[in-house]
Amino acid sequence: MPEVDPISRLRTELEAAARSVAEDGAPGQPPALDRPPRPDLGDYSSNAAMLLAAPLGEPPREVAERLRDEVAERLGARAERVEVAGPGFVNLFLADRWYREAIAGMLEAGEEMAHAPVVRPERVDVEFVSANPTGPLTAAGGRHAAYGDAVARLLEAAGHDVSREFYVNDRGGQIERFAASVAAEMTGSPPPEDGYEGAYVGEIAEALGQEGVDAGDLEAVSARAVELMLAQIRESLLRFGVSFDTWFSERTLHEGGKVAGAIETLRAAGHVYESEGATWLRTSEFGDDKDRVLLRKGGEPTYFAADVAYHRSKLERGFERLLDVLGSDHHGYLSRMRAAIAALGADPDAFEALLMQFVHIVEGGERAQMSKRRGDFVTLDELVADIGVDATRFFMLQRSHDTTVDLDLELARRESNENPVYYVQYAHARIASILRKAGEGASARALGYDQLAVKAAVEPAERVLLKRLLECPQEVAEAAAKRAPHRLCAYAGTVAADFHAFYRDCKVVGAEGEGVEEARLALCLLTKRTIARVLSLLGIGAPERM
């Protein structure tokens, strides 16, 4: 993490003290630096002494006493006291000076305060949404969009070079049924069995008719209908704040010979064989539960064959990590694709399949039933028009991707503290109001305040809020590493709650005491920046007024 992070600096000083006590080096694993469960146990606590005890051959508490003295000397006036507790914990009680310096340091860091760069950044391809272009983007597709985009933003915050990719399934049975459905609508015929229905099919049929497309030319109908559908999907995503670097066509894999080329590469490596008239890949040799068919009887490539060629393309484009955001019905996909990647001679661990659970739209306690083929579904556009982009994204992201989401429309519309996104955004807007009330130049005063000139003690509510803000770099790092943007939704909520408690307990504008108003304005500004940065990583706005 960046040196501007006060917790990183504190951890560095602790590790330096541990090395000094150990004399011949640090303990085998980095010591922890955690917030203890109770305030009377200090601001932060470490198990460093217990890690050092075994290699030194000494009782943990004796090691802890030496470590306590070393830490106290290094921290100097920034520590109120350092104590030994329990079997050998070293508890740090930090002085007001440390808190004032921490606020100033984090403000000076600016946006860097929420960056969490990894040691070795990678070129990462995040493929998400990839909805079949046979209908408008649904609410479920919106969850994929919100999640994939948030993960990409988090990976960028971690220093990775990220590309967002949409895989266009513009070939196969579903496209043929879609084209036949549009053609039938153009001629006034009933839709084919398992065809697509709904008003959008009629709208596309009308557009094709006006353009003079021949309903009898299914290839022309297919190409134009898919083109129009993709344009609508692209516009829906842009309104939702999501854009892609690459729109990759499945059709190009077949027409460009990439599917055949991938199969021949695997065959040359000795991983392909013929059986029962079909062509198989020995995925079982690479951890899959069984071998997989590449070419059916008659030579037609399977979807798996196209997927192998597609991921080979990603590797050839220089991506070191491949993240696929997929539907919950892709349970067996991870093992077979990792096996295929290994068969291609690449690292199978470079591939990750993130399986999304369902999203249910709830109103009046009832779930809406959705089916794209029947034309009975809630589109992303309709959802955004109802509750807005910010609420849609927050509600889609506040649960882990492997958990079903029930999106309660009545709650999402509510402008109250019961609505989690309103609660967080209101905290940001409230701080903006405080800074306006403090008068022109309030932010500059906050940025330039002299932390050493503040005579008043740091109040308990200030300590709680600042410690929460100091967790931001670690929260971002954890959310990125675990592909878990829902952690930031929860974190944003706790920051808002701690701020509201601080504002209840501590007067800001007009606070008495030398430098106290400036110090509290600085804490407000830091909170405002933190909320805005966290929301931006989720693709959510931070309003100045509400």
Side-chain angles (χ1 to χ4, degrees), residues 239-255:
R239 281 192 290 272
F240 198 48
V242 178
S243 60
F244 288 87
D245 301 294
T246 302
W247 294 74
F248 194 102
S249 165
E250 178 188 357
R251 185 179 292 274
T252 62
L253 292 172
H254 296 271
E255 295 178 349

Side-chain angles (χ1 to χ4, degrees), residues 439-464:
E440 186 176 352
S443 293
R445 287 162 52 207
L447 287 169
Y449 94 100
D450 182 357
Q451 62 269 24
L452 298 180
V454 184
K455 303 305 181 184
V458 178
E459 294 294 327
E462 292 180 273
R463 288 175 176 257
V464 169

Side-chain angles (χ1 to χ4, degrees), residues 372-390:
K372 184 186 287 188
R373 187 159 294 166
R374 293 196 312 267
D376 174 22
F377 55 89
V378 178
T379 69
L380 177 60
D381 286 341
E382 290 169 337
L383 186 58
V384 167
D386 187 349
I387 63 174
V389 170
D390 290 343

Side-chain angles (χ1 to χ4, degrees), residues 361-375:
I361 305 302
V362 178
E363 186 164 24
E366 298 292 331
R367 286 179 173 179
Q369 299 300 312
M370 292 184 283
S371 169
K372 184 186 287 188
R373 187 159 294 166
R374 293 196 312 267

Side-chain angles (χ1 to χ4, degrees), residues 179 183-184 186-187 212-221:
M186 292 173 72
T187 60
V213 177
D214 182 2
D217 186 349
L218 284 181
E219 187 171 336
V221 171

Side-chain angles (χ1 to χ4, degrees), residues 519-543:
R520 290 179 180 171
L521 284 173
L523 184 54
C524 286
L525 182 58
L526 180 58
T527 306
K528 181 174 181 284
R529 286 183 173 184
T530 302
I531 291 174
R533 178 57 178 156
V534 169
L535 288 178
S536 75
L537 290 172
L538 300 172
I540 296 170

Side-chain angles (χ1 to χ4, degrees), residues 105-136:
M106 291 289 276
L107 281 174
E108 184 180 354
E111 280 201 1
E112 292 297 317
M113 69 180 182
H115 285 190
V118 294
V119 175
R120 184 187 175 280
E122 298 176 316
R123 283 201 68 208
V124 184
D125 181 271
V126 182
E127 183 219 324
F128 59 107
V129 184
S130 299
N132 292 337
T134 56

Side-chain angles (χ1 to χ4, degrees), residues 68-85:
R68 172 198 61 199
D69 297 340
E70 185 71 29
V71 170
E73 182 177 346
R74 289 176 181 273
L75 291 179
R78 289 172 293 153
E80 183 179 289
R81 65 185 187 278
V82 182
E83 295 181 349
V84 175

